Amino acid sequence: MTDSTLRTVTLIDDLTGKSWKLPVRDGSMGPSVIDIRKLYTDTGYFTHDPGFTSTSSCESKITFIDGDKGVLLHRGYPIDQLAEKSDFLEVAYLLQFGDLPNTTQKTEWIKNITYHTMVHEQLRSFFNGFRRDAHPMAIMCGVVGALSAFYHDSTDIHDERQREIACHRLIAKMPTLAAAAFKYSTGQPFIYPRNDLSFAENFLHMCYAVPAEPHLVNPVLARAMEKIFILHADHEQNASTSTVRLASSSGANPFACIAAGITSLWGPAHGGANEAVLKMLIEIGSKDKIPEIIKRAKDKDDGFRLMGFGHRVYKNYDPRAKVMQQTCREVLSELGLRNDPLLETAMELERIALQDDYFIAKKLYPNVDFYSGIILRAMGFPMSMFTVLFAVARTAGWVAHWQEQFSEGEQKIGRPRQLYTGPTLRSFVPLEERGGKTDAEAFISEWQRRRSDTLTG
Ligand code: CMC
Protein backbone atom coordinates (compact mmCIF):
# COMPACT_ATOMS: atom_id res chain seq x y z
CA MET A 1 0.00 0.00 0.00
CA THR A 2 1.36 3.42 -0.92
CA ASP A 3 0.89 6.52 1.18
CA SER A 4 -1.21 9.16 -0.54
CA THR A 5 0.80 12.21 0.35
CA LEU A 6 -1.90 14.79 0.69
CA ARG A 7 -5.29 13.20 0.53
CA THR A 8 -7.34 13.38 3.73
CA VAL A 9 -10.96 13.20 4.79
CA THR A 10 -12.30 15.57 7.41
CA LEU A 11 -14.15 14.38 10.48
CA ILE A 12 -16.38 17.01 12.06
CA ASP A 13 -17.86 16.71 15.53
CA ASP A 14 -21.27 18.40 15.15
CA LEU A 15 -21.53 18.85 18.91
CA THR A 16 -18.30 20.76 19.50
CA GLY A 17 -17.58 21.94 16.00
CA LYS A 18 -14.05 20.47 16.21
CA SER A 19 -12.63 18.90 13.07
CA TRP A 20 -9.76 16.53 12.31
CA LYS A 21 -8.11 15.56 9.06
CA LEU A 22 -7.67 11.81 8.65
CA PRO A 23 -5.12 10.48 6.14
CA VAL A 24 -6.35 8.35 3.23
CA ARG A 25 -4.22 5.46 1.95
CA ASP A 26 -4.53 3.79 -1.45
CA GLY A 27 -3.95 0.16 -2.22
CA SER A 28 -2.80 -1.12 -5.61
CA MET A 29 -6.46 -2.05 -6.31
CA GLY A 30 -9.75 -1.79 -4.46
CA PRO A 31 -11.19 0.85 -2.15
CA SER A 32 -8.88 3.27 -0.38
CA VAL A 33 -8.88 3.30 3.40
CA ILE A 34 -9.09 6.04 6.00
CA ASP A 35 -6.18 5.52 8.35
CA ILE A 36 -7.68 5.84 11.84
CA ARG A 37 -4.76 4.49 13.85
CA LYS A 38 -4.37 7.81 15.68
CA LEU A 39 -8.11 8.51 15.89
CA TYR A 40 -8.51 7.77 19.60
CA THR A 41 -5.37 9.67 20.60
CA ASP A 42 -6.37 12.68 18.51
CA THR A 43 -10.15 12.74 19.01
CA GLY A 44 -11.07 10.55 22.00
CA TYR A 45 -13.40 8.52 19.78
CA PHE A 46 -13.31 4.86 18.76
CA THR A 47 -14.95 3.61 15.56
CA HIS A 48 -17.74 1.05 15.94
CA ASP A 49 -17.92 -1.70 13.31
CA PRO A 50 -19.21 -5.08 14.56
CA GLY A 51 -18.55 -7.77 11.97
CA PHE A 52 -15.83 -5.52 10.46
CA THR A 53 -18.06 -4.65 7.50
CA SER A 54 -16.11 -1.44 6.77
CA THR A 55 -12.81 -2.17 8.43
CA SER A 56 -9.48 -3.12 6.93
CA SER A 57 -7.58 -4.99 9.64
CA CYS A 58 -4.21 -5.28 7.92
CA GLU A 59 -2.16 -4.60 4.83
CA SER A 60 -1.82 -7.64 2.56
CA LYS A 61 -0.36 -8.50 -0.84
CA ILE A 62 -1.77 -12.01 -1.11
CA THR A 63 -5.36 -11.97 -2.37
CA PHE A 64 -7.59 -9.37 -4.00
CA ILE A 65 -11.38 -9.61 -4.24
CA ASP A 66 -13.70 -7.28 -6.12
CA GLY A 67 -17.00 -8.46 -4.72
CA ASP A 68 -19.14 -6.31 -7.03
CA LYS A 69 -17.53 -7.65 -10.17
CA GLY A 70 -17.03 -11.21 -8.89
CA VAL A 71 -13.24 -11.11 -9.21
CA LEU A 72 -10.79 -13.15 -7.14
CA LEU A 73 -7.04 -12.85 -7.72
CA HIS A 74 -4.21 -14.58 -5.90
CA ARG A 75 -1.04 -12.46 -6.19
CA GLY A 76 -2.68 -10.99 -9.32
CA TYR A 77 -3.63 -14.28 -10.99
CA PRO A 78 -7.38 -14.95 -11.60
CA ILE A 79 -8.73 -17.91 -9.66
CA ASP A 80 -10.24 -19.59 -12.76
CA GLN A 81 -6.82 -19.61 -14.50
CA LEU A 82 -5.16 -21.08 -11.43
CA ALA A 83 -7.87 -23.75 -11.10
CA GLU A 84 -7.51 -24.71 -14.76
CA LYS A 85 -3.77 -24.47 -15.27
CA SER A 86 -2.04 -24.84 -11.94
CA ASP A 87 -1.87 -27.38 -9.13
CA PHE A 88 -2.45 -26.99 -5.43
CA LEU A 89 1.17 -27.00 -4.27
CA GLU A 90 2.07 -24.43 -6.91
CA VAL A 91 -0.77 -22.21 -5.66
CA ALA A 92 0.40 -22.73 -2.08
CA TYR A 93 3.88 -21.56 -3.19
CA LEU A 94 2.36 -18.57 -4.98
CA LEU A 95 0.40 -17.54 -1.89
CA GLN A 96 3.44 -17.90 0.31
CA PHE A 97 6.16 -16.34 -1.84
CA GLY A 98 4.30 -13.97 -4.18
CA ASP A 99 5.28 -15.50 -7.54
CA LEU A 100 4.75 -18.74 -9.39
CA PRO A 101 7.78 -21.00 -8.90
CA ASN A 102 10.22 -21.78 -11.72
CA THR A 103 10.99 -25.47 -12.31
CA THR A 104 13.87 -25.57 -9.79
CA GLN A 105 11.86 -23.78 -7.13
CA LYS A 106 8.88 -26.04 -7.71
CA THR A 107 10.91 -29.23 -7.40
CA GLU A 108 12.50 -27.93 -4.20
CA TRP A 109 9.13 -26.86 -2.77
CA ILE A 110 7.50 -30.22 -3.50
CA LYS A 111 10.47 -31.97 -1.92
CA ASN A 112 10.16 -29.78 1.20
CA ILE A 113 6.46 -30.48 1.54
CA THR A 114 6.53 -34.21 0.84
CA TYR A 115 9.44 -34.65 3.28
CA HIS A 116 6.98 -33.70 6.03
CA THR A 117 3.85 -35.66 5.07
CA MET A 118 4.16 -38.28 7.80
CA VAL A 119 3.03 -37.52 11.35
CA HIS A 120 4.67 -38.64 14.58
CA GLU A 121 3.53 -42.21 15.33
CA GLN A 122 2.44 -41.17 18.82
CA LEU A 123 -0.04 -38.73 17.32
CA ARG A 124 -2.06 -41.73 16.22
CA SER A 125 -2.93 -42.49 19.84
CA PHE A 126 -4.68 -39.12 20.03
CA PHE A 127 -7.27 -40.40 17.59
CA ASN A 128 -8.09 -43.35 19.86
CA GLY A 129 -9.15 -40.91 22.55
CA PHE A 130 -12.04 -39.72 20.41
CA ARG A 131 -15.39 -41.49 20.04
CA ARG A 132 -15.74 -43.16 16.65
CA ASP A 133 -18.71 -40.93 15.89
CA ALA A 134 -16.82 -37.72 16.73
CA HIS A 135 -17.19 -35.02 14.11
CA PRO A 136 -13.92 -35.01 12.12
CA MET A 137 -13.68 -31.23 12.55
CA ALA A 138 -13.69 -31.79 16.33
CA ILE A 139 -10.84 -34.25 15.85
CA MET A 140 -8.98 -31.78 13.61
CA CYS A 141 -9.28 -28.99 16.22
CA GLY A 142 -7.64 -31.33 18.72
CA VAL A 143 -4.93 -33.02 16.68
CA VAL A 144 -3.74 -29.92 14.82
CA GLY A 145 -3.36 -28.07 18.12
CA ALA A 146 -1.53 -31.14 19.42
CA LEU A 147 1.14 -30.73 16.72
CA SER A 148 2.58 -27.98 18.98
CA ALA A 149 3.45 -30.72 21.46
CA PHE A 150 5.33 -32.78 18.86
CA TYR A 151 7.34 -30.36 16.77
CA HIS A 152 9.14 -28.18 19.30
CA ASP A 153 11.83 -27.37 16.76
CA SER A 154 9.39 -25.29 14.71
CA THR A 155 7.49 -23.29 17.32
CA ASP A 156 9.90 -20.38 17.79
CA ILE A 157 8.14 -17.68 15.82
CA HIS A 158 11.15 -15.36 15.98
CA ASP A 159 13.30 -17.82 14.04
CA GLU A 160 12.68 -17.46 10.30
CA ARG A 161 13.83 -21.00 9.49
CA GLN A 162 11.57 -22.48 12.16
CA ARG A 163 8.64 -20.52 10.76
CA GLU A 164 9.41 -21.86 7.30
CA ILE A 165 9.52 -25.47 8.53
CA ALA A 166 6.27 -24.97 10.46
CA CYS A 167 4.59 -23.90 7.17
CA HIS A 168 5.96 -26.96 5.35
CA ARG A 169 4.75 -29.19 8.14
CA LEU A 170 1.28 -27.70 8.29
CA ILE A 171 0.65 -27.91 4.53
CA ALA A 172 2.12 -31.43 4.41
CA LYS A 173 0.55 -32.97 7.51
CA MET A 174 -2.94 -31.57 7.18
CA PRO A 175 -4.02 -34.12 4.50
CA THR A 176 -2.50 -36.95 6.54
CA LEU A 177 -4.45 -35.89 9.64
CA ALA A 178 -7.64 -35.26 7.65
CA ALA A 179 -7.46 -38.69 6.01
CA ALA A 180 -6.77 -40.27 9.41
CA ALA A 181 -9.87 -38.53 10.83
CA PHE A 182 -11.87 -40.04 7.95
CA LYS A 183 -10.38 -43.52 8.39
CA TYR A 184 -11.01 -43.36 12.12
CA SER A 185 -14.71 -42.73 11.51
CA THR A 186 -14.91 -45.80 9.24
CA GLY A 187 -12.87 -48.05 11.52
CA GLN A 188 -10.32 -48.76 8.78
CA PRO A 189 -6.55 -48.68 9.36
CA PHE A 190 -4.74 -45.41 8.70
CA ILE A 191 -2.87 -45.33 5.39
CA TYR A 192 0.61 -43.79 5.29
CA PRO A 193 1.27 -40.95 2.81
CA ARG A 194 2.85 -41.73 -0.54
CA ASN A 195 5.30 -39.10 -1.72
CA ASP A 196 5.33 -40.33 -5.32
CA LEU A 197 1.74 -39.08 -5.72
CA SER A 198 0.52 -35.53 -6.24
CA PHE A 199 -0.99 -33.64 -3.29
CA ALA A 200 -4.57 -34.53 -4.28
CA GLU A 201 -3.76 -38.11 -5.37
CA ASN A 202 -1.97 -38.76 -2.11
CA PHE A 203 -4.91 -37.43 -0.13
CA LEU A 204 -7.45 -39.56 -2.02
CA HIS A 205 -5.15 -42.56 -1.64
CA MET A 206 -4.92 -42.08 2.12
CA CYS A 207 -8.72 -41.78 2.26
CA TYR A 208 -9.73 -44.70 0.05
CA ALA A 209 -6.88 -47.24 -0.04
CA VAL A 210 -6.82 -50.21 2.32
CA PRO A 211 -3.69 -52.19 3.19
CA ALA A 212 -5.22 -55.41 1.85
CA GLU A 213 -5.06 -54.51 -1.84
CA PRO A 214 -3.59 -51.98 -4.28
CA HIS A 215 -5.61 -48.83 -4.89
CA LEU A 216 -5.52 -46.75 -8.05
CA VAL A 217 -6.66 -43.14 -7.77
CA ASN A 218 -9.02 -42.09 -10.57
CA PRO A 219 -7.22 -39.25 -12.44
CA VAL A 220 -10.45 -37.31 -13.13
CA LEU A 221 -11.33 -37.38 -9.43
CA ALA A 222 -7.75 -36.45 -8.49
CA ARG A 223 -7.88 -33.43 -10.83
CA ALA A 224 -11.27 -32.43 -9.39
CA MET A 225 -9.87 -32.72 -5.86
CA GLU A 226 -6.89 -30.59 -6.89
CA LYS A 227 -9.28 -27.93 -8.26
CA ILE A 228 -11.39 -27.99 -5.09
CA PHE A 229 -8.23 -27.48 -3.03
CA ILE A 230 -7.13 -24.58 -5.27
CA LEU A 231 -10.56 -22.92 -5.07
CA HIS A 232 -10.46 -23.05 -1.28
CA ALA A 233 -6.79 -22.14 -0.80
CA ASP A 234 -7.26 -18.53 0.25
CA HIS A 235 -9.88 -15.80 0.45
CA GLU A 236 -8.19 -12.75 2.03
CA GLN A 237 -9.36 -11.68 5.50
CA ASN A 238 -12.25 -14.12 6.02
CA ALA A 239 -13.25 -15.18 9.56
CA SER A 240 -10.80 -18.09 9.89
CA THR A 241 -7.84 -16.22 8.38
CA SER A 242 -8.54 -13.23 10.61
CA THR A 243 -8.72 -15.66 13.53
CA VAL A 244 -5.29 -17.07 12.61
CA ARG A 245 -3.87 -13.54 12.37
CA LEU A 246 -5.43 -12.47 15.68
CA ALA A 247 -4.27 -15.61 17.50
CA SER A 248 -0.80 -15.13 16.05
CA SER A 249 -0.65 -11.47 17.09
CA SER A 250 -0.21 -12.58 20.69
CA GLY A 251 2.89 -14.56 19.71
CA ALA A 252 1.18 -17.98 19.83
CA ASN A 253 2.90 -20.85 18.02
CA PRO A 254 1.87 -21.68 14.42
CA PHE A 255 0.14 -24.99 15.15
CA ALA A 256 -2.02 -23.42 17.85
CA CYS A 257 -2.89 -20.54 15.48
CA ILE A 258 -3.97 -22.90 12.69
CA ALA A 259 -6.05 -24.91 15.19
CA ALA A 260 -7.79 -21.61 16.03
CA GLY A 261 -8.44 -21.06 12.31
CA ILE A 262 -9.98 -24.53 12.07
CA THR A 263 -12.44 -23.80 14.87
CA SER A 264 -13.54 -20.61 13.15
CA LEU A 265 -13.88 -22.37 9.81
CA TRP A 266 -16.19 -25.01 11.30
CA GLY A 267 -19.22 -22.70 11.61
CA PRO A 268 -22.08 -22.99 9.07
CA ALA A 269 -21.76 -19.33 8.07
CA HIS A 270 -18.17 -20.06 6.93
CA GLY A 271 -16.60 -23.44 6.03
CA GLY A 272 -19.46 -25.48 7.46
CA ALA A 273 -21.77 -24.16 4.73
CA ASN A 274 -20.95 -26.96 2.24
CA GLU A 275 -22.25 -29.53 4.72
CA ALA A 276 -25.32 -27.37 5.36
CA VAL A 277 -25.99 -27.01 1.60
CA LEU A 278 -26.08 -30.75 1.06
CA LYS A 279 -28.34 -31.29 4.08
CA MET A 280 -30.64 -28.62 2.62
CA LEU A 281 -30.68 -30.19 -0.87
CA ILE A 282 -31.45 -33.61 0.61
CA GLU A 283 -34.20 -32.06 2.72
CA ILE A 284 -35.71 -30.35 -0.34
CA GLY A 285 -35.76 -33.77 -2.02
CA SER A 286 -37.59 -32.82 -5.22
CA LYS A 287 -37.88 -29.76 -7.45
CA ASP A 288 -41.52 -29.15 -6.55
CA LYS A 289 -40.48 -28.28 -2.98
CA ILE A 290 -38.21 -25.43 -4.16
CA PRO A 291 -40.81 -22.63 -4.06
CA GLU A 292 -41.53 -23.53 -0.44
CA ILE A 293 -37.84 -23.36 0.53
CA ILE A 294 -37.42 -20.03 -1.30
CA LYS A 295 -40.42 -18.70 0.61
CA ARG A 296 -38.85 -19.77 3.90
CA ALA A 297 -35.51 -18.16 2.99
CA LYS A 298 -37.29 -14.85 2.39
CA ASP A 299 -39.32 -14.99 5.61
CA LYS A 300 -37.61 -12.80 8.24
CA ASP A 301 -39.41 -14.65 11.07
CA ASP A 302 -38.21 -18.07 9.93
CA GLY A 303 -34.46 -17.73 10.50
CA PHE A 304 -33.80 -20.15 7.63
CA ARG A 305 -31.26 -19.08 4.98
CA LEU A 306 -30.61 -20.55 1.60
CA MET A 307 -27.30 -22.24 2.31
CA GLY A 308 -24.59 -21.75 -0.30
CA PHE A 309 -26.11 -18.40 -1.24
CA GLY A 310 -24.87 -14.93 -0.36
CA HIS A 311 -21.48 -13.68 0.67
CA ARG A 312 -20.13 -10.86 2.77
CA VAL A 313 -17.89 -9.68 -0.06
CA TYR A 314 -19.37 -11.01 -3.33
CA LYS A 315 -22.39 -9.08 -4.52
CA ASN A 316 -22.11 -10.93 -7.82
CA TYR A 317 -21.56 -14.56 -8.86
CA ASP A 318 -18.73 -16.05 -6.75
CA PRO A 319 -16.06 -16.85 -9.40
CA ARG A 320 -15.21 -20.03 -7.50
CA ALA A 321 -18.82 -21.24 -7.82
CA LYS A 322 -18.57 -21.13 -11.62
CA VAL A 323 -15.50 -23.41 -11.66
CA MET A 324 -17.13 -25.61 -9.03
CA GLN A 325 -20.28 -26.07 -11.12
CA GLN A 326 -18.19 -27.18 -14.11
CA THR A 327 -16.11 -29.52 -11.95
CA CYS A 328 -19.33 -30.95 -10.55
CA ARG A 329 -20.49 -31.89 -14.05
CA GLU A 330 -17.11 -33.49 -14.87
CA VAL A 331 -17.10 -35.61 -11.73
CA LEU A 332 -20.70 -36.74 -12.03
CA SER A 333 -20.16 -37.61 -15.68
CA GLU A 334 -17.01 -39.63 -14.83
CA LEU A 335 -18.94 -41.52 -12.16
CA GLY A 336 -21.93 -42.14 -14.44
CA LEU A 337 -24.18 -39.90 -12.34
CA ARG A 338 -25.14 -37.39 -15.03
CA ASN A 339 -28.75 -37.27 -13.83
CA ASP A 340 -27.92 -36.89 -10.17
CA PRO A 341 -31.16 -35.62 -8.56
CA LEU A 342 -29.21 -33.42 -6.12
CA LEU A 343 -27.47 -31.60 -8.98
CA GLU A 344 -30.80 -31.15 -10.73
CA THR A 345 -32.35 -29.76 -7.54
CA ALA A 346 -29.35 -27.46 -7.03
CA MET A 347 -29.48 -26.09 -10.57
CA GLU A 348 -33.20 -25.52 -10.42
CA LEU A 349 -32.86 -23.84 -7.03
CA GLU A 350 -30.16 -21.59 -8.45
CA ARG A 351 -32.28 -20.78 -11.51
CA ILE A 352 -35.35 -19.84 -9.45
CA ALA A 353 -33.39 -17.89 -6.81
CA LEU A 354 -31.53 -15.84 -9.42
CA GLN A 355 -34.86 -14.72 -10.90
CA ASP A 356 -36.41 -13.88 -7.55
CA ASP A 357 -36.76 -10.20 -6.58
CA TYR A 358 -35.56 -10.83 -3.01
CA PHE A 359 -32.29 -12.45 -4.11
CA ILE A 360 -31.80 -9.92 -6.91
CA ALA A 361 -32.35 -6.94 -4.59
CA LYS A 362 -29.98 -8.30 -1.93
CA LYS A 363 -27.45 -9.43 -4.54
CA LEU A 364 -27.42 -13.01 -3.28
CA TYR A 365 -25.64 -15.39 -5.67
CA PRO A 366 -24.37 -18.96 -5.29
CA ASN A 367 -21.07 -19.10 -3.41
CA VAL A 368 -18.22 -21.64 -3.53
CA ASP A 369 -20.07 -24.03 -1.24
CA PHE A 370 -23.20 -24.38 -3.35
CA TYR A 371 -21.85 -27.13 -5.63
CA SER A 372 -18.86 -28.49 -3.71
CA GLY A 373 -20.93 -30.77 -1.47
CA ILE A 374 -22.49 -32.55 -4.47
CA ILE A 375 -19.02 -33.32 -5.87
CA LEU A 376 -17.59 -34.48 -2.57
CA ARG A 377 -20.58 -36.70 -1.87
CA ALA A 378 -20.28 -38.28 -5.32
CA MET A 379 -16.59 -38.92 -4.58
CA GLY A 380 -17.59 -40.88 -1.49
CA PHE A 381 -16.98 -38.38 1.32
CA PRO A 382 -19.50 -38.20 4.15
CA MET A 383 -20.91 -34.72 4.80
CA SER A 384 -18.96 -34.38 8.03
CA MET A 385 -15.71 -34.47 6.01
CA PHE A 386 -16.57 -31.54 3.73
CA THR A 387 -15.31 -28.80 6.03
CA VAL A 388 -12.23 -30.87 6.81
CA LEU A 389 -11.30 -30.79 3.12
CA PHE A 390 -11.81 -27.02 3.17
CA ALA A 391 -9.39 -26.84 6.12
CA VAL A 392 -6.77 -28.92 4.25
CA ALA A 393 -6.86 -26.40 1.41
CA ARG A 394 -7.19 -23.22 3.47
CA THR A 395 -4.06 -24.14 5.43
CA ALA A 396 -2.09 -22.83 2.42
CA GLY A 397 -3.75 -19.43 2.83
CA TRP A 398 -3.56 -19.42 6.62
CA VAL A 399 0.19 -20.04 6.66
CA ALA A 400 0.78 -17.46 3.91
CA HIS A 401 -1.06 -14.81 5.95
CA TRP A 402 0.66 -15.99 9.12
CA GLN A 403 4.05 -15.51 7.44
CA GLU A 404 3.04 -12.17 5.94
CA GLN A 405 2.34 -10.83 9.41
CA PHE A 406 6.01 -11.26 10.32
CA SER A 407 7.13 -9.29 7.28
CA GLU A 408 5.18 -6.27 8.51
CA GLY A 409 7.90 -5.31 10.97
CA GLU A 410 6.49 -4.29 14.31
CA GLN A 411 4.08 -6.90 15.66
CA LYS A 412 1.10 -5.37 17.41
CA ILE A 413 -1.25 -7.57 19.40
CA GLY A 414 -4.77 -7.47 17.90
CA ARG A 415 -6.93 -5.80 20.51
CA PRO A 416 -10.25 -4.29 19.36
CA ARG A 417 -12.13 -1.94 21.66
CA GLN A 418 -15.87 -1.83 22.31
CA LEU A 419 -18.91 0.34 22.79
CA TYR A 420 -19.71 -0.38 26.43
CA THR A 421 -23.46 -0.41 27.17
CA GLY A 422 -23.44 -2.24 30.54
CA PRO A 423 -24.09 -0.94 34.08
CA THR A 424 -22.23 2.11 35.32
CA LEU A 425 -20.22 2.04 38.58
CA ARG A 426 -22.02 0.42 41.55
CA SER A 427 -21.04 -1.08 44.95
CA PHE A 428 -20.73 -4.78 45.74
CA VAL A 429 -23.79 -6.30 47.54
CA PRO A 430 -23.12 -9.24 49.95
CA LEU A 431 -24.89 -12.52 49.04
CA GLU A 432 -27.21 -12.46 52.12
CA GLU A 433 -28.58 -9.11 51.00
CA ARG A 434 -29.40 -10.20 47.43
CA GLY A 435 -32.59 -12.17 48.19
CA GLY A 436 -33.33 -15.63 46.77
CA LYS A 437 -33.84 -18.93 48.61
CA THR A 438 -31.98 -20.02 51.74
CA ASP A 439 -29.81 -23.19 51.47
CA ALA A 440 -32.56 -25.28 53.12
CA GLU A 441 -35.26 -23.94 50.78
CA ALA A 442 -33.04 -24.56 47.75
CA PHE A 443 -32.38 -28.17 48.90
CA ILE A 444 -36.10 -28.88 49.30
CA SER A 445 -37.10 -27.45 45.93
CA GLU A 446 -34.29 -29.36 44.17
CA TRP A 447 -35.41 -32.59 45.91
CA GLN A 448 -39.00 -31.93 44.79
CA ARG A 449 -37.91 -31.29 41.21
CA ARG A 450 -35.91 -34.53 41.02
CA ARG A 451 -38.79 -36.51 42.59
CA SER A 452 -41.24 -35.11 40.06
CA ASP A 453 -38.80 -35.91 37.20
CA THR A 454 -38.58 -39.52 38.45
CA LEU A 455 -42.36 -39.86 38.67
CA THR A 456 -42.98 -38.45 35.22
CA GLY A 457 -40.14 -40.56 33.76
N1 CMC B 1 -30.65 -16.67 2.30
C1 CMC B 1 -31.59 -15.73 2.53
N2 CMC B 1 -31.31 -14.46 2.87
C2 CMC B 1 -30.02 -14.11 2.98
C3 CMC B 1 -28.99 -15.03 2.73
C4 CMC B 1 -29.33 -16.36 2.38
N3 CMC B 1 -28.39 -17.28 2.16
N4 CMC B 1 -27.78 -14.43 2.90
C5 CMC B 1 -28.05 -13.17 3.23
N5 CMC B 1 -29.40 -12.97 3.28
C6 CMC B 1 -30.09 -11.70 3.55
C7 CMC B 1 -30.07 -11.39 5.04
O1 CMC B 1 -31.21 -11.90 5.69
C8 CMC B 1 -30.00 -9.90 5.04
O2 CMC B 1 -31.29 -9.40 4.81
P1 CMC B 1 -31.73 -8.00 5.50
O3 CMC B 1 -30.83 -6.96 4.94
O4 CMC B 1 -33.16 -7.83 5.08
O5 CMC B 1 -31.58 -8.17 6.98
C9 CMC B 1 -29.17 -9.55 3.81
O6 CMC B 1 -29.33 -10.67 2.92
C10 CMC B 1 -27.69 -9.37 4.09
O7 CMC B 1 -27.25 -10.49 4.84
P2 CMC B 1 -26.19 -10.39 6.01
O8 CMC B 1 -26.35 -11.55 6.94
O9 CMC B 1 -26.21 -9.03 6.61
O10 CMC B 1 -24.86 -10.53 5.17
P3 CMC B 1 -23.48 -11.01 5.73
O11 CMC B 1 -22.48 -10.43 4.83
O12 CMC B 1 -23.35 -10.71 7.17
O13 CMC B 1 -23.53 -12.61 5.59
C11 CMC B 1 -23.26 -14.81 4.80
C12 CMC B 1 -22.90 -13.33 4.61
C13 CMC B 1 -22.39 -15.67 3.90
C14 CMC B 1 -22.97 -15.24 6.27
C15 CMC B 1 -24.76 -15.00 4.47
O14 CMC B 1 -25.01 -14.63 3.14
C16 CMC B 1 -25.24 -16.40 4.75
O15 CMC B 1 -25.58 -16.72 5.89
N6 CMC B 1 -25.24 -17.30 3.70
C17 CMC B 1 -25.57 -18.69 3.89
C18 CMC B 1 -24.36 -19.41 4.47
C19 CMC B 1 -23.29 -19.65 3.43
O16 CMC B 1 -23.56 -20.06 2.31
N7 CMC B 1 -22.04 -19.42 3.85
C20 CMC B 1 -20.86 -19.66 3.01
C21 CMC B 1 -20.13 -18.42 2.66
S1 CMC B 1 -18.94 -18.72 1.35
C22 CMC B 1 -17.74 -19.71 2.05
C23 CMC B 1 -16.86 -19.01 2.97
O17 CMC B 1 -16.31 -17.95 2.58
O18 CMC B 1 -16.65 -19.53 4.06
Side-chain angles (χ1 to χ4, degrees):
M1 193 155 90
T2 52
D3 268 319
S4 311
T5 37
L6 291 174
R7 200 144 67 98
T8 54
V9 293
T10 305
L11 175 72
I12 300 171
D13 186 335
D14 289 338
L15 196 65
T16 60
K18 277 189 181 171
S19 69
W20 301 270
K21 286 200 181 302
L22 302 170
V24 172
R25 299 184 69 190
D26 298 321
S28 51
M29 284 196 281
S32 302
V33 302
I34 302 169
D35 188 338
I36 55 159
R37 279 176 292 181
K38 294 205 180 119
L39 185 75
Y40 179 60
T41 325
D42 292 350
T43 69
Y45 285 116
F46 292 143
T47 55
H48 184 59
D49 184 19
F52 309 122
T53 52
S54 303
T55 296
S56 138
S57 63
C58 64
E59 209 177 301
S60 182
K61 296 179 174 60
I62 301 174
T63 292
F64 172 78
I65 304 174
D66 183 333
D68 293 327
K69 295 194 181 122
V71 169
L72 168 61
L73 311 177
H74 291 322
R75 303 282 190 182
Y77 295 103
I79 188 65
D80 51 325
Q81 288 185 22
L82 292 172
E84 279 314 314
K85 297 176 183 168
S86 190
D87 57 68
F88 177 72
L89 282 185
E90 194 169 69
V91 173
Y93 182 100
L94 175 71
L95 294 171
Q96 180 103 205
F97 299 106
D99 276 313
L100 288 167
N102 63 26
T103 47
T104 318
Q105 289 163 330
K106 188 165 176 178
T107 309
E108 180 74 4
W109 172 244
I110 291 175
K111 189 171 135 255
N112 283 334
I113 301 296
T114 51
Y115 181 75
H116 289 291
T117 48
M118 290 197 297
V119 292
H120 195 291
E121 277 296 295
Q122 232 169 305
L123 246 178
R124 290 166 162 251
S125 51
F126 269 70
F127 286 85
N128 295 329
F130 289 99
R131 283 169 50 141
R132 287 273 168 191
D133 62 356
H135 196 292
M137 279 300 273
I139 297 182
M140 291 302 280
C141 292
V143 293
V144 174
L147 292 174
S148 325
F150 284 88
Y151 300 102
H152 299 140
D153 59 344
S154 52
T155 52
D156 180 356
I157 57 164
H158 304 294
D159 180 329
E160 202 178 326
R161 178 67 185 139
Q162 289 205 23
R163 288 206 308 271
E164 195 182 5
I165 296 173
C167 293
H168 296 161
R169 283 189 168 136
L170 278 158
I171 295 170
K173 293 184 199 305
M174 200 63 94
T176 313
L177 295 174
F182 179 42
K183 285 294 195 190
Y184 188 71
S185 70
T186 63
Q188 288 184 0
F190 296 167
I191 301 293
Y192 285 108
R194 270 193 37 198
N195 292 350
D196 59 320
L197 300 177
S198 74
F199 190 86
E201 283 169 343
N202 173 47
F203 178 64
L204 291 175
H205 188 263
M206 287 191 291
C207 287
Y208 293 114
V210 288
E213 55 191 54
H215 176 82
L216 276 181
V217 178
N218 178 319
V220 176
L221 301 192
R223 185 61 203 142
M225 192 77 253
E226 197 87 36
K227 274 192 198 173
I228 293 173
F229 284 150
I230 293 171
L231 293 176
H232 287 93
D234 190 46
H235 212 227
E236 55 118 294
Q237 312 308 325
N238 55 84
S240 58
T241 304
S242 298
T243 302
V244 169
R245 279 183 176 263
L246 194 57
S248 158
S249 75
S250 74
N253 77 66
F255 305 106
C257 294
I258 300 304
I262 293 174
T263 56
S264 169
L265 184 73
W266 193 358
H270 190 9
N274 48 16
E275 189 176 340
V277 171
L278 204 71
K279 282 185 184 150
M280 178 188 76
L281 291 174
I282 292 169
E283 196 188 312
I284 294 173
S286 58
K287 287 187 200 171
D288 56 306
K289 299 263 175 58
I290 292 175
E292 193 185 312
I293 212 85
I294 297 269
K295 197 169 156 214
R296 279 190 63 198
K298 295 194 295 188
D299 181 356
K300 282 275 158 256
D301 299 326
D302 190 307
F304 169 78
R305 284 186 170 199
L306 206 56
M307 298 314 290
F309 257 76
H311 199 276
R312 167 62 61 82
V313 183
Y314 293 118
K315 301 303 165 199
N316 201 325
Y317 213 100
D318 179 339
R320 302 168 299 172
K322 279 188 190 143
V323 183
M324 203 62 95
Q325 194 196 54
Q326 179 56 28
T327 310
C328 189
R329 286 179 200 280
E330 286 161 14
V331 167
L332 296 182
S333 157
E334 173 68 15
L335 297 173
L337 299 168
R338 268 189 206 88
N339 300 322
D340 181 56
L342 283 183
L343 178 63
E344 285 182 11
T345 307
M347 289 181 64
E348 183 63 3
L349 184 58
E350 177 186 332
R351 192 187 65 77
I352 295 178
L354 291 181
Q355 289 174 1
D356 190 288
D357 288 345
Y358 173 93
F359 290 87
I360 294 170
K362 295 191 187 302
K363 299 186 177 168
L364 300 170
Y365 293 84
N367 59 48
V368 68
D369 290 318
F370 194 63
Y371 287 102
S372 62
I374 301 175
I375 312 178
L376 296 173
R377 180 176 183 258
M379 286 168 116
F381 287 107
M383 276 187 262
S384 57
M385 275 299 288
F386 294 177
T387 316
V388 175
L389 305 190
F390 194 155
V392 169
R394 187 52 60 88
T395 300
W398 289 332
V399 296
H401 284 271
W402 180 77
Q403 279 283 39
E404 188 176 54
Q405 256 181 308
F406 293 95
S407 65
E408 284 162 7
E410 188 206 1
Q411 286 285 302
K412 254 194 178 319
I413 186 165
R415 176 50 170 98
R417 301 303 298 263
Q418 61 173 11
L419 174 65
Y420 178 71
T421 52
T424 52
L425 182 68
R426 50 184 173 163
S427 286
F428 182 81
V429 181
L431 180 61
E432 319 77 79
E433 293 170 27
R434 286 178 232 155
K437 289 178 183 152
T438 62
D439 285 354
E441 286 165 345
F443 177 82
I444 290 167
S445 65
E446 176 60 13
W447 179 80
Q448 282 171 337
R449 189 188 63 77
R450 289 190 188 185
R451 188 159 173 272
S452 121
D453 282 356
T454 316
L455 292 177
T456 55

